Amino acid sequence: MKITKLSHVFEVLGVKQAQVVRTLAAEGIAFSTASLSRVKRECVWPKTCDINTIKAAITNYLKELGASEEQLTDLFGYYDPAPKVQPITDIEEVEFEMLSANAKRFFKLRRDPFENEITSEDDVLFLDSHRVILEDMLSAASAGSMIALFGECGSGKTIIRRAFIHQVQQDHPDVILIQPARLDRRKITAESISTAICRALQVKHRPSAEERDAAIEEALIESANNGHLHLMVIDEAHDLSADVIKLLKRIWELTHGFRRVMGIVLIGQSELQKKLSGQHVREFSWRCNQIKMPPLGVHVPQYIRHKFARVGINADDIFVGDAMSAIRGKCYARVGHGIGFDDSDLDRSYPLSINTWIAKVMNAAAQIGESKITEKLVHKV
């Protein structure tokens, strides 16, 4: 189905018809939303209008919003996008599975090494890449910068967030954490964010929004003068609306002299990266340090040994030979991008995936009475 080029560009840039109509009106051009809608949907113009003037005004407006020359070419014609080549991935998908009671008895495990296993900092295996992320998050408070941490489900984002908050509470009393309390992140609004700041800084309720915002700014500056750093942390940030993300950028711009009074950390799934790539939030994304959660990779055997050691088991007594590396191989694949493009590697050896494969392998071994898990057994599961 063909669509108009104007409709496509509006969608990519996040442009609303009402915005364009207001811009035209500011230039003395009367053009209704209904007329613009027909142009956008069907390339049909009203009989009584200066088409060339309106086209030029719309083109200039989109150019100011960052539209490329390619997007502006043949803007008022039809758009026939080239079909996308879908990458072909040979990775083996796995459904979540827990260690069975039979497997725990068979391998003499007092408890499941992967169920509700994080009760202290010692339960977490911190790799160098994780420590760098924690340092970046702490620097967001001291430098007043913005960070977006994103990754696959089960990649360890929540553990990193919990470890960071624990580290701040233990070692950095000068950092005031601000965390909106709405469980449904899609319902976070300017009001929610203001309430979270008031709660963290103990700002008294003000009858009007303008008075409240002024009080918030005064409280942030006074708190900064008293030697405090401020950091807003929002997890599940992939559910935030574009308008809220733009609002966060405006809060981040608050300064006291040359010093920013607040840093921002967003944590979310991979959809957060896609959301930040949109033109509608480009002012935020251009100033935001975007970090992707790394897979365990070559550290998979170290991770497995650490998890079993926390329940008093030597993993090498169960996994022999290259069995641990074989489990990592279950999360490794090649991605084909079609003719004329080189294949690329895909490593999804995230904690949740490794946990699930270990559970599947141990459940299978317990069923057949095999007390030693070998590379060959892993490949058969």
Side-chain angles (χ1 to χ4, degrees), residues 14 19-20 26 37 60 81 89 111 119 136 142 150 162 216 225 231 256 261 284 287 319 324 337 363 369 378:
Q19 294 175 257
V20 179
S37 179
N60 289 335
T89 308
R111 64 179 178 87
T119 58
D136 286 341
S142 59
F150 55 85
R162 289 165 59 186
I216 286 174
N225 285 336
L231 186 66
H256 177 45
V261 296
F284 181 95
R287 296 165 175 83
F319 299 88
M324 295 186 195
H337 297 281
N363 288 343
V378 172

Side-chain angles (χ1 to χ4, degrees), residues 36 144 196 198 231 259 305 324 333 364:
L36 179 59
C198 290
L231 186 66
R259 181 182 173 187
R305 291 187 179 100
M324 295 186 195

Side-chain angles (χ1 to χ4, degrees), residues 18-293:
Q19 294 175 257
V20 179
V21 171
R22 284 196 296 268
T23 301
L24 293 175
E27 296 183 15
I29 303 173
F31 200 65
S32 69
T33 305
S35 296
L36 179 59
S37 179
R38 290 200 68 192
V39 172
K40 193 184 80 167
R41 288 185 292 106
E42 307 167 15
C43 291
V44 175
W45 292 85
K47 293 181 180 179
T48 56
C49 73
D50 189 340
I51 296 177
N52 292 331
T53 300
I54 296 173
K55 282 184 176 180
I58 293 175
T59 301
N60 289 335
Y61 175 66
L62 295 177
K63 195 170 185 179
E64 289 174 1
L65 290 180
S68 64
E69 290 298 327
E70 182 181 354
Q71 289 172 326
L72 296 176
T73 302
D74 194 22
L75 180 62
F76 298 95
Y78 280 94
Y79 175 67
D80 190 11
K84 292 183 179 179
V85 177
Q86 293 295 329
I88 301 174
T89 308
D90 63 354
I91 195 166
E92 190 173 355
E93 297 292 345
V94 58
E95 290 187 10
F96 178 74
E97 185 172 326
M98 296 179 66
L99 203 60
S100 67
N102 179 48
K104 283 187 279 190
R105 284 194 302 269
F106 183 79
F107 289 103
K108 298 180 174 59
L109 296 176
R110 295 193 302 272
R111 64 179 178 87
D112 189 335
F114 308 108
E115 183 183 6
N116 300 323
E117 79 280 18
I118 306 297
T119 58
S120 71
E121 194 172 5
D122 293 334
D123 290 327
V124 183
L125 175 65
F126 285 112
L127 304 177
D128 288 342
S129 56
H130 298 150
R131 292 189 177 91
V132 169
I133 292 173
L134 289 173
E135 290 172 4
D136 286 341
M137 293 171 71
L138 188 60
S139 72
S142 59
S145 56
M146 296 193 294
I147 286 179
L149 175 64
F150 55 85
E152 298 285 342
C153 180
S155 59
K157 305 180 299 297
T158 299
I159 299 302
I160 287 291
R161 178 183 63 81
R162 289 165 59 186
F164 170 71
I165 292 174
H166 175 77
Q167 183 180 14
V168 167
Q169 292 172 340
Q170 294 293 316
D171 304 327
H172 301 278
D174 55 323
V175 175
I176 297 176
L177 293 176
I178 302 169
Q179 303 179 78
R182 292 303 298 262
L183 296 178
D184 188 347
R185 297 299 188 256
R186 292 169 297 182
K187 294 182 179 179
I188 287 182
T189 61
E191 181 76 22
S192 306
I193 292 173
S194 296
T195 300
I197 298 174
C198 290
R199 183 172 59 248
L201 298 181
Q202 298 181 344
V203 177
K204 293 182 179 179
H205 178 73
R206 294 293 191 276
S208 73
E210 185 174 347
E211 289 179 352
R212 183 195 59 215
D213 291 346
I216 286 174
E217 186 169 355
E218 290 174 6
L220 284 170
I221 292 174
E222 181 181 355
S223 179
N225 285 336
N226 291 332
H228 288 114
L229 303 172
H230 311 97
L231 186 66
M232 180 169 293
V233 180
I234 304 178
D235 64 342
E236 302 296 330
H238 51 272
D239 284 333
L240 294 177
S241 68
D243 288 339
V244 168
I245 292 175
K246 290 198 297 185
L247 172 66
L248 291 174
K249 185 256 181 184
R250 296 190 188 103
I251 294 174
W252 171 78
E253 288 176 334
L254 291 175
T255 58
H256 177 45
F258 290 102
R259 181 182 173 187
R260 298 196 186 279
V261 296
M262 185 180 296
I264 294 174
V265 173
L266 302 183
I267 303 172
Q269 296 180 14
S270 299
E271 290 80 2
L272 176 60
Q273 182 187 24
K274 296 177 184 177
K275 184 163 287 187
L276 294 181
S277 66
Q279 286 288 326
H280 200 48
V281 295
R282 64 190 182 281
E283 292 182 3
F284 181 95
S285 56
W286 288 347
R287 296 165 175 83
C288 177
N289 179 21
Q290 300 184 36
I291 304 172
K292 183 178 181 180
M293 280 294 296

Side-chain angles (χ1 to χ4, degrees), residues 94-95 97-98 355-365 381:
V94 58
E95 290 187 10
E97 185 172 326
M98 296 179 66
N355 298 353
T356 300
W357 276 114
I358 289 176
K360 288 180 70 70
V361 170
M362 292 183 71
N363 288 343
V381 174

